[in-house]
Amino acid sequence: MADAPKPKEKSKISSARRLGLKIRLLTVAGQMLEVETEEKKREREEALAERVPPLKLSGLSVDELMDLCKDLHRKIDVVDEERYDVGLKVTKTDKECHELGLKIIELQSKFKKPSLKRVKISAEMMLSVLLGSKHKETIDFKSNLKTVKKAEEKKEEVTDWRQNVDAMSGMEGRKKMFDA
């Protein structure tokens, strides 16, 4: 009786209260999402400020400006080289993933299960194929099968309908119908 299904218990919280709780949860989740996006923006700005300091161009001579431009060009070249290398790695891994996907599809198509066809073969032939030279004696499988006796259906005797009408006429005929 431990496996008997338990009747579904009615919720102790009303539907209005449940709806109110859902609304409150959604508003709190929305507020948390807003705080998280603002925090990500702030972290991004801090990282950019740390990596790229603001340029101080006022009070610089032409030679100093030229040196600053050359320095910025070198930094841009380094960043472009890194970006190019990362792009190549990404395209290479994408290509490998695509090739592996094709290999998987190819392997799956090779090992499709064939549709089996019905083959008429006798039990003797089957045993000779399975056992090979070891199979010498013949076995009659049909004799080992159990015989099932079918219950014979009760057939109503066909009688003359006129006799049936005479027997069922009157009150005694109706009494026979109720007794049967």
Side-chain angles (χ1 to χ4, degrees):
M1 288 287 173
D3 293 337
K6 295 179 181 177
K8 206 170 193 180
E9 293 182 18
K10 205 170 192 180
S11 178
K12 293 183 180 180
I13 300 174
S14 68
S15 61
R17 179 157 170 75
R18 190 179 313 129
L19 182 63
L21 288 172
K22 281 184 182 178
I23 291 172
R24 286 187 208 128
L25 279 172
L26 287 174
T27 55
V28 169
Q31 292 170 354
M32 290 172 67
L33 187 63
E34 288 175 8
V35 169
E36 187 177 327
T37 54
E38 289 175 9
E39 188 175 314
K40 283 184 179 180
K41 276 184 182 178
R42 190 175 38 79
E43 286 177 2
R44 183 176 186 270
E45 289 171 0
E46 288 175 2
L48 283 175
E50 180 183 314
R51 290 182 187 169
V52 183
L55 292 175
K56 296 178 184 174
L57 300 176
S58 61
L60 294 177
S61 67
V62 175
D63 291 335
E64 290 174 340
L65 284 174
M66 294 282 273
D67 289 339
L68 181 64
C69 286
K70 287 179 183 177
D71 187 40
L72 288 175
H73 277 288
R74 278 193 297 271
K75 288 181 180 179
I76 289 171
D77 288 341
V78 169
V79 170
D80 277 343
E81 287 175 7
E82 289 177 5
R83 184 182 52 83
Y84 180 74
D85 291 341
V86 170
L88 282 179
K89 285 182 182 178
V90 168
T91 54
K92 183 180 177 183
T93 53
D94 283 345
K95 187 177 179 182
E96 287 177 1
C97 287
H98 181 69
E99 288 175 0
L100 289 174
L102 290 176
K103 280 185 180 179
I104 289 172
I105 291 171
E106 182 182 335
L107 288 174
Q108 286 176 345
S109 65
K110 280 185 182 176
F111 296 113
K112 278 187 180 175
K113 292 182 181 176
S115 58
L116 299 176
K117 297 177 182 175
R118 182 172 291 272
V119 177
K120 291 185 179 180
I121 187 170
S122 67
E124 296 296 323
M125 296 273 295
M126 182 81 67
L127 283 174
S128 65
V129 168
L130 291 174
L131 299 176
S133 61
K134 295 178 185 175
H135 176 70
K136 293 180 181 172
E137 59 189 55
T138 60
I139 303 171
D140 188 16
F141 287 109
K142 288 184 180 178
S143 64
N144 294 340
L145 294 175
K146 293 181 181 178
T147 56
V148 179
K149 295 180 181 177
K150 293 182 180 178
E152 294 181 16
E153 296 177 15
K154 295 180 181 178
K155 295 183 179 178
E156 293 182 20
E157 294 180 13
V158 179
T159 57
D160 191 12
W161 61 274
R162 285 170 263 160
Q163 293 174 353
N164 195 18
V165 169
D166 290 338
M168 291 298 190
S169 63
M171 286 301 287
E172 291 178 17
R174 291 190 181 161
K175 185 179 177 188
K176 286 180 188 177
M177 285 176 57
F178 283 115
D179 289 342

